[in-house]
Amino acid sequence: MSKKGFIFDLDGVIVDTAKYHFLAWRNLANSLGIDFTKEQNEQLKGVSRIKSLEKILNWGNKTVSESEFERLLVEKNEEYLSYISKMDDSEILPDTNKVLDYLIENQQGIALGSASKNAVPILEKIHLLQKFECIVDGNSVIKGKPDPEVFLKAAEGLKIRPSDCIVFEDSIAGIQAANAANMVSIGIGEQDVLHEADHVFKDFTEISIDFLNQLVTN
Ligand code: BG6
Ligand code: MG
């Protein structure tokens, strides 16, 4: 069996942290008198902390000083971390371990490709860190998704050609990044949101071993 590279986004793919990012951003936006909808939140998925705050301020037509901007970033992250601190293995999304364990049993490359600077502590908290051969996160990239840098670095870390890599992503920006990297893009979420992906599944429970096997052998 050939070795392919399987690159996983973290938030909203492996673990249900997307809801915590949403809560923390919504509270922050509302405290500034800015409305924040689920549709706007979709546009922040996969997007770095700094870029997310820029977008929210933009939507609210607000400008803040550099020091206030920094303070708001810290405030958002502190609220987010308060949710994360209570997290355990039960928040791993359904059938994530089925997919990871199948790939491990079949000697496939497994990497993380996340925009989050909190990725390693989260993986430690849910006891999945040891299943990843390579971690590329918000601390190791310059350009965020939709730029392909995060996934290209993961492929490099796995020593696998980009065209032999498969990306699992729940964000529009992430699917665009995977496509730009010339990788197979698999959307985890809604078809109408992730229509740019090569394949879309609601979650890992919809992904069969047969489908994984095809990805490995094709
Ligand atoms: C992405 C999330 O995975 O990470 C975004 O989809 C988030 O919502 C980004 O803004 C950065 O995360 P963090 O943990 O560094 O603030
Ligand atoms: Mg995500």
Side-chain angles (χ1 to χ4, degrees):
M1 217 181 241
S2 61
K3 185 174 175 181
K4 294 273 174 74
F6 288 81
I7 307 173
F8 294 78
D9 173 47
L10 175 69
D11 296 314
V13 169
I14 288 178
V15 75
D16 197 8
T17 41
K19 64 183 181 203
Y20 298 140
H21 280 296
F22 172 65
L23 283 177
W25 281 131
R26 192 184 56 189
N27 286 341
L28 189 89
N30 292 351
S31 77
L32 297 167
I34 302 172
D35 272 347
F36 186 62
T37 64
K38 284 248 173 198
E39 288 69 35
Q40 284 169 320
N41 185 56
E42 252 351 286
Q43 296 180 49
L44 298 190
K45 286 187 180 172
V47 173
S48 73
R49 204 179 306 163
I50 291 176
K51 278 258 151 43
S52 299
L53 182 55
E54 281 171 4
K55 279 179 186 265
I56 289 171
L57 293 172
N58 216 6
W59 289 327
N61 276 319
K62 269 210 182 300
T63 45
V64 297
S65 67
E66 219 170 287
S67 59
E68 177 66 354
F69 191 91
E70 285 306 316
R71 194 191 65 74
L72 292 171
L73 287 179
V74 170
E75 192 178 311
K76 187 270 173 178
N77 197 48
E78 279 175 357
E79 182 174 342
Y80 179 66
L81 290 177
S82 75
Y83 299 130
I84 294 309
S85 67
K86 297 181 201 104
M87 217 168 74
D88 60 27
D89 301 17
S90 68
E91 289 192 62
I92 299 173
L93 286 165
D95 276 1
T96 300
N97 274 305
K98 171 192 83 181
V99 173
L100 290 172
D101 293 343
Y102 170 83
L103 298 174
I104 291 168
E105 276 159 31
N106 289 280
Q107 286 91 43
Q108 299 300 301
I110 301 179
L112 191 85
S114 166
S116 174
K117 294 188 172 176
N118 297 306
V120 170
I122 290 172
L123 284 178
E124 275 172 344
K125 214 153 187 342
I126 57 175
H127 305 104
L128 284 185
L129 185 62
Q130 68 286 357
K131 295 197 179 178
F132 290 83
E133 190 179 325
C134 162
I135 304 278
V136 183
D137 64 14
N139 301 299
S140 35
V141 293
I142 296 163
K143 295 183 229 142
K145 303 169 187 176
D147 189 279
E149 183 186 4
V150 58
F151 296 139
L152 292 174
K153 275 209 163 144
E156 209 179 293
L158 293 173
K159 298 190 179 63
I160 294 177
R161 282 187 308 208
S163 58
D164 284 331
C165 290
I166 297 102
V167 172
F168 295 99
E169 254 294 344
D170 71 320
S171 72
I172 301 166
I175 292 295
Q176 290 168 342
N179 292 342
N182 193 27
M183 298 176 177
V184 175
S185 56
I186 301 187
I188 301 294
E190 301 298 328
Q191 169 67 37
D192 55 342
V193 177
L194 303 174
H195 55 86
E196 290 173 62
D198 295 318
H199 309 269
V200 180
F201 298 95
K202 252 189 150 39
D203 55 34
F204 285 133
T205 65
E206 284 192 353
I207 298 187
S208 66
I209 293 295
D210 202 43
F211 179 75
L212 290 175
N213 200 31
Q214 279 172 40
L215 291 171
V216 171
T217 47
N218 282 345

